[in-house]
Amino acid sequence: MKREYDLRKGKRGPVIPLPPEKVRITIRLDRDIVDHFREKVRKAHGGNYQTLINDALREHIQRPGLAKQLGAEVRSVLREELEKIKASA
């Protein structure tokens, strides 16, 4: 190592710039959520827990009607069961 370094031409910021589609934010998540994703990465012997969280959010966004669809299916099954009860009474 040198005793002194010339940093006059140095630049501030990350060594590797972020890709343009990535945005740096600060977000607070519950510890159990972060622990869950970190554990998945640990069990997979590598990876990035932030990428897993990103993937989970993307999957959620791409399926916005899941709760509505599930509700419709439950109502349909309930109607069928009620019809069976009425028919047998």
Side-chain angles (χ1 to χ4, degrees), residues 11-82:
K11 294 181 181 177
R12 288 184 174 261
V15 175
I16 302 171
L18 289 174
E21 66 273 6
K22 298 284 184 181
V23 177
R24 182 181 304 269
I25 65 166
T26 299
I27 183 172
R28 297 192 186 279
L29 300 172
D30 293 338
R31 181 170 303 282
D32 61 323
I33 300 298
V34 175
D35 289 345
H36 168 79
F37 286 101
R38 283 183 173 163
E39 182 64 17
K40 286 182 81 167
V41 166
R42 189 190 67 75
K43 286 181 179 177
H45 304 293
N48 185 321
Y49 76 95
Q50 292 172 335
T51 299
L52 293 180
I53 293 172
N54 201 40
D55 292 345
L57 290 170
R58 182 170 285 111
E59 183 179 335
H60 175 75
I61 290 169
Q62 291 173 348
R63 298 186 314 165
L66 184 61
K68 189 180 283 188
Q69 177 187 350
L70 200 57
E73 289 177 22
V74 168
R75 284 190 295 278
S76 175
V77 169
L78 287 173
R79 284 189 198 104
E80 290 174 15
E81 294 300 317
L82 287 172

